[in-house]
Every structure is written in structure tokens, then in C-alpha cells.
Amino acid sequence: MKEVADEEKLCIFLTELDREYKSKAIGSLYELNVNLIQSQYEIIPSWYDSHIRKESKGLFQKFPVVKNTYNQAICPICEGVFSTKVTLEHIIPKSGKEKNGQKLGEPRLAILPINLVKCCGECNTSKHSKRSFIEEESEINPYFEEFAIEKYFEVNFNDTNEVFQPSIVFHYKDNTMDKRIRNFINNYNIEKTYNHRIKLEFQKILTILANNPITLTKSILKPYIEHLSDIYSKNSEFEKIDDKYWFDQNYFGFLICEHLKIRIENDTSTVYKLNEEINKLRKPSQYIAFSNPEFQNDMNKVQTIRDLEIFIKNNKEDLIVYYQQIKKQGFSIDFPKLFKVDEDRLRKKCLEDRLRKKRLIEEIVKYYLESGKSFDHFGEDCSFVIG
């Protein structure tokens, strides 16, 4: 009978504690005072491990999870897809240790369900062992509060002689909510996690670019980054959860590309620095030793059919080697300035005509290279085709 009485006391205590917690859950958890709840029953901290976490009890599986568009469970704190390591985070920490006579955490909240959130191992850090007692550091419980984290960070590039890579930088205003968010970001190592993810996605972009065996000029890089940005954007839109972006690799890839688009346009050194990073990933076998050291520059200067004829005549062997290499990597042959004029003055119809003729001529070059056909009458054939 004593055991039944103890369970009733525990139930009453947790019910009253739950009610008090909910009354403070939005912005006022720093005011939560468990001592105000009259009870002769004391929570035993070890019950968290023996009851909540213990697999045979089946309680851990009952905690709710957030799912992404692909029905995968994700961490509600960093939004990473759950790996094999899934934990329960105490929003108000459970530590019973004391400092200067004050408990760092609140062990009596150790088994209170609304104080427990399923999260990944990376977010469940030891940094959050002391509960807050002031409003500016008050804990944020994901069950009750949310904020648009994307408004607090931006993408920059670490730009030194040794490295050129993206980084996430957080900014906060001098108000109570921003200070609470900063505390949340610090407690759960969000800045570190986001920086890890954005660096991984940048390496993926560089690896793709490294498959192209030539130095990548602005005329090559700019449209590729714009194309990649469009792909990332469409993927991110598809992956939205309740009209909110999911902070996965597609989202970080989009941020990288948007930042690079601006840098490539406004900073002439960006293309050089990107090529340096790309070259670090290339294998020696990926380089092409052109007989004409100015092959790429000459290729980028081609504007007319006559220019193209002269270029092919002077660089036929290099062009064959170049085409064979880029074909292996899935790239198409491109003369970026072919038929190029002042596009700002062109009407849309004229611009479309220019691009149509450019693609047509590039397909003719491709046909000649694929078939081994002689380029002796190349200019005449091109003029006949485009009229």
C-alpha cells in the first residue's frame, strides 16, 4: 500500500510541477521555483536513467519528434537528421551540483516530460549544466517557443593567404530576446554545427568544379554558380516544413552560391582564390598540358565565326585533348564570348537569337570533334547553317 501511496504523491507532484512549468514556459523559465510546490515527495535523480532512458521501459520512444519532408526524424535544435545517437536534452538542466551554495541545475525536473526534448548528441552538450536565473538568459523550450534563426546569421568567407572558405557568423541586437537566443545558440553549439555543415557543402561544390581540368574563368564560374544556386533554391523550396526552410545541405549550399555570386561580380580576386581551392583537390592526372599556354585565354576571346576558324586552325590538337577531358567530366564545350555584344542594349528576342546561334555553333564544333571530320570547310558550314 505504501508503494501505491508513493505513486499517488509522485503523480500529484509532477502534475503540479507541470502546471507551474507551463505557466513560465514562454520567456519566464528563469522564474520557475520548484520549492513553491508543496510536496513531501522528493524526485530521485537516478530515476531518469532507470525509468526514462531505460529501453525496456519504452518511454524514450514515446517522446515526440520533428520530421522533414522525407519523413525523416530530425533534431529540433539543429535540424540535422537523427543518426544512431539520439538523446534527451533537459531544457532546464538536471545537474545537482552546487556552486557558491546554489544548485547549478534542478534535479526535480529530471523526469518531467515537458522539460525533455529529443535531440542529437551534438546538441546535447555539457556546456548547459547551469540553469538560468535571469531573464536575459532564460532557457528556450522548443515545445513552447520558436524563432527565425536565419535572421541572426549570415555567410562570410574566411579570406586569408592560406584558406578561402565560408563561415557562418551570428549577429544579435541588444535586447532581451536576442540575448536569450544567443544563450541558446551558445548552449547547443549551433554556430559550430552550422559552420561544419557549410564547410562540407563548400567542399562538395569545389570537388565538382575540380573535375573540370582547366582554370575556371569568371565566364565559366559565374553561370555555373548561378545554375547551382537555382538548383539549391528549388530543392530548399521543396524541402520546406510548414513554409519554413529546413536547414540542411541544400539551404547552406544556396547561401554559399548567393554569396559567391556577389563576390565573383564585385571582387576580381574571388575567381583566383576559388581556383586555388579547386587546385588543392585536383589530381595531377586531371591537368592538361596544352602545347599553346594561352589556349584558354584564346578560347575565351573568340567572338565571331572567323575568330573561331582561326582558333581551331591554331589549336586543333589542344582542342581535341581538351574536349576529350571535359567530356569525361560531363562538361560541354563553351565559347563564352561567341556572338557576344553589349547585352544591355539587346532586346530579349535578339539575346535569345544570339544564344541560339552560339549553342548551334558549339554543337557543330562538338560534331566535328566527335566524328573526326576535317575542319577545312568549317567556316563555310557554320555560315550555311546559321544563315
Side-chain angles (χ1 to χ4, degrees):
M1 293 298 293
K2 182 180 183 302
E3 189 173 318
V4 174
D6 285 347
E7 288 182 1
E8 289 178 352
K9 290 178 182 178
L10 175 60
C11 183
I12 292 170
F13 178 76
L14 289 177
T15 300
E16 293 181 4
L17 187 58
D18 182 82
R19 187 183 300 116
E20 179 64 16
Y21 191 108
K22 288 177 179 176
S23 72
K24 302 289 194 301
I26 301 179
S28 301
L29 284 176
Y30 71 101
E31 293 181 333
L32 178 61
N33 188 348
V34 182
N35 294 325
L36 295 178
I37 301 173
Q38 299 298 318
S39 175
Q40 296 179 344
Y41 199 87
E42 197 68 26
I43 298 294
I44 300 174
S46 63
W47 280 3
Y48 171 72
D49 293 318
S50 61
H51 288 70
I52 305 295
R53 283 292 306 175
K54 195 168 184 179
E55 189 173 341
S56 61
K57 298 288 184 179
L59 296 176
F60 179 78
Q61 288 74 19
K62 293 181 180 180
F63 279 85
V65 295
V66 178
K67 292 189 176 182
N68 62 19
T69 310
Y70 308 108
N71 203 36
Q72 298 169 307
I74 62 175
C75 175
I77 296 175
C78 73
E79 299 192 8
V81 175
F82 278 143
S83 62
T84 53
K85 186 177 181 181
V86 184
T87 68
L88 281 174
E89 164 66 358
H90 290 79
I91 303 303
I92 295 180
K94 70 179 187 298
S95 172
K97 296 179 181 178
E98 294 189 4
K99 186 175 182 180
N100 299 326
Q102 187 180 54
K103 286 183 179 179
L104 296 179
E106 179 48 77
R108 288 171 290 183
L109 294 173
I111 61 173
L112 189 68
I114 60 172
N115 191 52
L116 295 166
V117 175
K118 262 187 178 177
C119 75
C120 65
E122 288 75 17
C123 287
N124 197 342
T125 73
S126 59
K127 292 172 68 174
H128 189 208
S129 59
K130 179 183 177 182
R131 67 165 296 190
S132 64
F133 288 97
I134 59 174
E135 184 178 9
E136 292 178 346
E137 295 178 358
S138 188
E139 283 85 3
I140 295 175
N141 188 318
Y143 291 135
F144 297 91
E145 293 186 271
E146 63 178 32
F147 59 91
I149 195 171
E150 68 271 21
K151 294 181 179 179
Y152 291 87
F153 68 80
E154 63 177 359
V155 175
N156 283 330
F157 263 74
N158 295 325
D159 189 351
T160 67
N161 292 331
E162 292 79 28
V163 70
F164 181 72
Q165 62 180 10
S167 64
I168 294 290
V169 180
F170 280 84
H171 301 286
Y172 309 96
K173 295 178 181 178
D174 188 21
N175 59 54
T176 299
M177 188 62 195
D178 278 36
K179 290 177 180 178
R180 292 181 63 216
I181 290 171
R182 179 173 58 191
N183 191 48
F184 181 92
I185 300 299
N186 291 338
N187 281 342
Y188 297 114
N189 278 337
I190 301 296
E191 187 166 352
K192 179 181 178 182
T193 298
Y194 281 9
N195 270 296
H196 176 67
R197 289 182 191 166
I198 203 165
K199 287 181 176 71
L200 283 179
E201 198 59 28
F202 185 55
Q203 286 299 305
K204 177 181 173 183
I205 294 171
L206 291 178
T207 301
I208 295 171
L209 290 170
N211 286 330
N212 192 316
I214 64 174
T215 300
L216 300 173
T217 61
K218 179 179 176 179
S219 62
I220 297 173
L221 273 172
K222 185 180 176 184
Y224 177 76
I225 295 298
E226 289 173 347
H227 171 69
L228 199 56
S229 177
D230 186 54
I231 293 174
Y232 278 130
S233 177
K234 289 176 180 177
N235 288 341
S236 293
E237 288 294 325
F238 171 75
E239 292 172 342
K240 277 185 173 180
I241 308 167
D242 297 330
D243 291 326
K244 294 181 177 64
Y245 285 107
W246 173 32
F247 297 108
D248 71 334
Q249 295 308 108
N250 281 314
Y251 185 77
F252 288 115
F254 172 73
L255 295 181
I256 292 170
C257 291
E258 288 298 289
H259 185 86
L260 284 177
K261 281 163 58 177
I262 297 171
R263 287 196 66 130
I264 289 172
E265 189 62 37
N266 300 318
D267 183 356
T268 55
S269 68
T270 300
V271 172
Y272 170 76
K273 291 168 183 174
L274 276 172
N275 273 291
E276 280 195 322
E277 294 300 317
I278 290 166
N279 288 338
K280 293 176 184 177
L281 299 175
R282 281 183 174 145
K283 299 175 183 177
S285 59
Q286 288 179 288
Y287 289 98
I288 298 177
F290 294 116
S291 59
N292 173 17
E294 295 298 315
F295 174 85
Q296 187 184 337
N297 288 332
D298 291 345
M299 186 176 184
N300 291 338
K301 291 176 183 177
V302 171
Q303 295 189 45
T304 66
I305 295 293
R306 181 58 183 158
D307 292 341
L308 187 53
E309 276 189 284
I310 295 171
F311 172 78
I312 292 173
K313 180 180 178 181
N314 295 334
N315 299 276
K316 183 178 177 182
E317 296 305 318
D318 280 344
L319 183 61
I320 292 171
V321 173
Y322 167 71
Y323 177 69
Q324 289 173 342
Q325 188 66 27
I326 65 171
K327 182 182 176 182
K328 292 177 184 177
Q329 311 301 340
F331 288 91
S332 297
I333 198 159
D334 177 45
F335 296 92
K337 294 185 180 179
L338 186 60
F339 301 126
K340 187 176 178 63
V341 293
D342 185 355
E343 293 181 3
D344 291 335
R345 294 183 178 180
L346 283 178
R347 297 192 306 273
K348 183 178 180 182
K349 184 177 180 181
C350 294
L351 181 58
E352 289 175 349
D353 184 57
R354 177 249 164 182
L355 293 174
R356 179 188 63 80
K357 289 194 295 184
K358 175 180 179 294
R359 286 194 289 266
L360 186 57
I361 295 302
E362 287 167 349
E363 283 298 314
I364 293 173
V365 174
K366 178 181 173 182
Y367 165 71
Y368 271 72
L369 292 169
E370 291 274 5
S371 64
K373 183 178 173 69
S374 169
F375 281 90
D376 291 344
H377 302 287
F378 174 76
E380 297 171 22
D381 292 345
C382 288
S383 297
F384 175 79
V385 170
I386 65 173

